[in-house]
Amino acid sequence: MNRFTSFAVALFVALMAVAPLFLNAYHVDVLNSIGLYGLLALSLNLILGEAGLFNMGHAAFYAMGAYTAAILNTRYQIPILWTLPLSALVAGFFALAVARPVVHLRGDYLLIVTIGVSEIVRIALVNDVFGITGGANGIFGISRPELFGFVIRQPQHFYYLIWGFVAFTIFLFLRLKQSRFGRALNYLREDEVAAEGSGVNTDYYKLAVFGLGAAWAGMAGTLFAAKMTIISPESFSFWESVVLFMIVILGGAGNVAGVLLAAFLVIGLPELFREFSSARMLVFGLVMMVMMLVRPQGLLPAKSRQFSFAELSNKGSFR
Amino acid sequence: MLLEVENLHVHYGNVEALHGVSLMVRQGEIVAILGANGAGKTTTLSAISGLLRSSAGEIRFEGRSIHKTPAHQLVAMGIAQAPEGRRIFGTLTVQENLSLGAFTQTDRVRIAKNLQWIHELFPVLAERREQLAGTLSGGEQQMLAIGRALMAQPRILLLDEPSLGLAPLLVKAIFQTLWEINSAGVTIVLVEQNAHAALKLAHRGYVMEVGKIVLEDRAEVLLANSQVRDAYLGG
């Protein structure tokens, strides 16, 4: 990290930390939405950006997490934040189960399959599967989250919960990117045959990243359920998956900062221009098209990993 | 015997590409597999390296049956390959490409030593270590592909057409280095269309035609063979 980027990061963190003190509840709520989408986009970035697996059904895993949390909370009175690990497990294992037979598919084929999966999930939720999802009305009456006896109620409080989780996620995913696991994902993205031929167990890494990305989306779903207190299938439509896909590609697949920036633009800008009502989506669509023409690699494209050669040859510190 | 292939059959869908190929490679040898386009050379190599599944027959490495072992495990066992078309990672640096080759390796001191050896074999890879691999010339990319395979510290190195698309002088340089690699104790199996260069380097050779081995002999005998001369050496 050079001087400029460390300064930019420090400034961003400082601004985000004090932002709720100066903004009204509506604007804080917009930031909360951005945080949730940022979280989802970061988890999709692992699958799509780092490993290059075309997943356009991410909303399905988001929904699995949200519904797991909502059902456990409303039926069994389990505090909503306690359901985080369970939502992660349910979404993660669901992803493993659906990905196992299809993960060997390439690019566009996998894309179609994931769209199918997300539609199946959405329609199953609408049709009240097992009589626990509440059908098209969804589930309401989800209790407010509690942290050490403090009930999180106002947008300002949710702001710190959501963005705290985003910060934790960024830290973790940046570490992951530097690890052997992260390297394996990048090799996989660049050339699967060459990776397999160089001793990378491609099937294992593909499944692992699918499970991990989905588990994270599941936890984002829990936060969403806690924030809304009502969830219904329409929150997890195909459009959500498309928006997430767009955020990752627009931001620069594989770049954490780029993905966050894109979350701000894609979710934040339409909110800021609400007074233009329907024209804003027209402008938004045009911006998308221009963007892909002039900068197809994304706002902040992923950089190659840098090695210091002295370090490599002296210590032999390959990771 | 380091590597034995026995009666190998491979199908692409309903089409049988190999109709019972048998060959063997001794420890320390350089073996060339020659043949025209579509003879099944690359298919044979891919089946050995585990990237293709055989439909019948057996492949043994040091006596152990390996034709059902996944490719990534074969790398850890000591079978590394520089695949057809090089398949280097164009958007990653030379250094990153090499470090991928050491993915199965854990001993950092040995990896560093090995890297040093590869830089001695191909000094250009040391010079260009920070450069994106996609910006290398064809010859340099081939060197990188070989270097990457060597990073796995293989017992046996499988090379698919290392001379493809390279100027004759470069081919000479690369084959000279292959000889050095072999002298260091790495067994080499080489698939080539450039029969002349391959047979000058190899100890033994196999000639394939439409999915079968039609000739096998010591390299100098094949070089002198009139059939081989007519078919592959341009008379």
Side-chain angles (χ1 to χ4, degrees):
Chain A
M1 220 190 270
N2 65 30
R3 241 196 181 138
F4 174 74
T5 40
S6 8
F7 178 73
V9 168
L11 187 70
F12 175 74
V13 170
L15 275 178
M16 289 303 284
V18 299
L21 306 176
F22 302 101
L23 296 173
N24 63 30
Y26 167 68
H27 284 135
V28 171
D29 207 48
V30 171
L31 282 177
N32 288 346
S33 281
I34 294 173
L36 276 176
Y37 275 94
L39 209 50
L40 287 166
L42 286 173
S43 68
L44 179 62
N45 181 42
L46 282 185
I47 302 172
L48 173 64
E50 299 290 349
L53 300 172
F54 284 8
N55 168 15
M56 214 185 246
H58 212 50
F61 310 129
Y62 182 36
M64 292 300 276
Y67 271 86
T68 303
I71 291 165
L72 287 175
N73 179 260
T74 53
R75 293 194 172 234
Y76 305 103
Q77 279 73 47
I78 298 172
I80 190 93
L81 288 182
W82 287 27
T83 66
L84 270 174
L86 277 169
S87 301
L89 280 178
V90 169
F93 277 110
F94 175 70
L96 288 184
V98 297
R100 185 73 201 90
V102 299
V103 84
H104 64 277
L105 295 176
R106 274 158 212 276
D108 27 13
Y109 303 106
L110 184 63
L111 188 99
I112 304 279
V113 171
T114 53
I115 291 174
V117 168
S118 76
E119 276 305 281
I120 290 172
V121 167
R122 190 183 65 81
I123 290 166
L125 294 175
V126 171
N127 285 295
D128 200 6
V129 273
F130 314 126
I132 53 174
T133 69
N137 294 328
I139 299 176
F140 37 87
I142 301 161
S143 63
R144 295 288 183 187
E146 237 184 273
L147 214 58
F148 308 115
F150 178 80
V151 182
I152 299 174
R153 210 181 287 279
Q154 292 170 355
Q156 277 83 346
H157 302 153
F158 271 108
Y159 176 88
Y160 287 107
L161 176 69
I162 290 170
W163 281 96
F165 200 75
V166 172
F168 170 66
T169 303
I170 293 172
F171 171 75
L172 224 60
F173 284 7
L174 284 177
R175 300 288 303 166
L176 191 74
K177 199 175 159 63
Q178 295 302 320
S179 71
R180 180 181 162 84
F181 186 84
R183 281 203 312 137
L185 297 183
N186 289 169
Y187 295 140
L188 196 65
R189 177 187 64 199
E190 297 300 326
D191 188 330
E192 206 183 312
V193 176
E196 177 78 20
S198 300
V200 179
N201 187 348
T202 49
D203 281 355
Y204 166 81
Y205 282 105
K206 279 180 178 179
L207 277 179
V209 75
F210 233 97
L212 183 64
W216 228 264
M219 290 198 278
T222 301
L223 293 182
F224 177 75
K227 173 172 168 277
M228 305 306 285
T229 70
I230 301 171
I231 57 168
S232 67
E234 66 189 274
S235 304
F236 310 102
S237 66
F238 174 57
W239 177 245
E240 301 300 314
S241 299
V242 175
V243 167
L244 292 171
F245 200 93
M246 198 161 71
I247 290 175
V248 173
I249 299 297
L250 189 71
N255 184 314
V256 167
V259 168
L260 268 187
L261 177 62
F264 269 89
L265 295 179
V266 172
I267 305 304
L269 282 187
E271 293 292 340
L272 284 185
F273 297 115
R274 258 203 190 280
E275 53 262 48
F276 301 112
S277 65
S278 50
R280 74 202 160 104
M281 288 322 280
L282 182 76
V283 174
F284 186 69
L286 280 175
V287 169
M288 291 285 127
M289 288 165 69
V290 171
M291 179 70 199
M292 283 300 103
L293 282 174
V294 299
R295 207 171 161 79
Q297 69 274 44
L299 294 167
L300 300 173
K303 272 200 229 84
S304 275
R305 216 170 257 107
Q306 300 289 319
F307 288 96
S308 142
F309 184 66
E311 196 188 321
L312 277 175
S313 47
N314 294 340
K315 297 186 205 147
S317 69
F318 273 87
R319 294 180 57 100
Chain B
M1 202 61 56
L2 190 62
L3 180 76
E4 288 164 281
V5 176
E6 216 178 280
N7 194 28
L8 188 71
H9 292 256
V10 174
H11 285 80
Y12 290 107
N14 287 325
V15 183
E16 190 174 74
L18 295 186
H19 321 289
V21 167
S22 299
L23 55 87
M24 55 176 194
V25 181
R26 294 189 196 92
Q27 171 71 44
E29 266 189 326
I30 301 179
V31 171
I33 302 177
L34 312 172
N37 277 334
K41 309 183 297 287
T42 297
T43 306
T44 307
L45 214 58
S46 301
I48 294 173
S49 62
L51 292 175
L52 268 180
R53 285 276 155 256
S54 54
S55 38
E58 201 175 4
I59 306 171
R60 283 186 297 274
F61 180 63
E62 296 181 305
R64 284 161 70 191
S65 188
I66 57 163
H67 56 280
K68 291 206 172 87
T69 314
H72 62 92
Q73 280 176 26
L74 293 179
V75 179
M77 285 170 67
I79 304 179
Q81 61 157 352
E84 188 182 26
R86 302 166 200 142
R87 284 191 177 264
I88 53 149
F89 295 93
T91 56
L92 304 182
T93 64
V94 168
Q95 193 58 62
E96 285 175 293
N97 271 276
L98 288 176
S99 69
L100 160 66
F103 197 79
T104 53
Q105 304 295 308
T106 44
D107 183 343
R108 292 187 174 190
V109 180
R110 273 189 67 184
I111 292 171
K113 253 174 118 176
N114 202 24
L115 178 66
Q116 209 175 5
W117 177 53
I118 289 160
H119 281 164
E120 280 163 23
L121 289 171
F122 302 112
V124 68
L125 296 185
E127 268 167 49
R128 310 202 167 215
R129 59 193 164 242
E130 300 290 344
Q131 204 170 316
L132 289 187
T135 65
L136 298 181
S137 74
E140 289 161 352
Q141 290 190 7
Q142 186 59 58
M143 293 174 194
L144 180 56
I146 297 171
R148 185 177 70 188
L150 285 176
M151 284 299 283
Q153 304 181 11
R155 308 270 319 273
I156 185 164
L157 178 64
L158 309 175
L159 299 174
D160 198 345
E161 302 235 16
S163 76
L164 192 72
L166 301 186
L169 259 178
L170 257 175
V171 174
K172 215 172 165 187
I174 286 185
F175 276 48
Q176 173 67 32
T177 313
L178 290 182
W179 184 81
E180 273 178 60
I181 292 165
N182 179 249
S183 310
V186 181
T187 306
I188 295 178
V189 177
L190 185 68
V191 156
E192 261 301 340
Q193 294 219 39
N194 186 342
H196 189 74
L199 287 176
K200 285 220 145 165
L201 174 74
H203 301 110
R204 287 190 307 117
Y206 291 87
V207 178
M208 292 189 73
E209 259 168 35
V210 283
K212 276 197 169 116
I213 295 214
V214 291
L215 261 179
E216 69 166 287
D217 217 320
R218 294 208 325 271
E220 54 272 28
V221 180
L222 286 179
L223 262 176
N225 182 308
S226 61
Q227 249 180 300
V228 176
R229 292 189 78 91
D230 290 347
Y232 306 109
L233 300 176

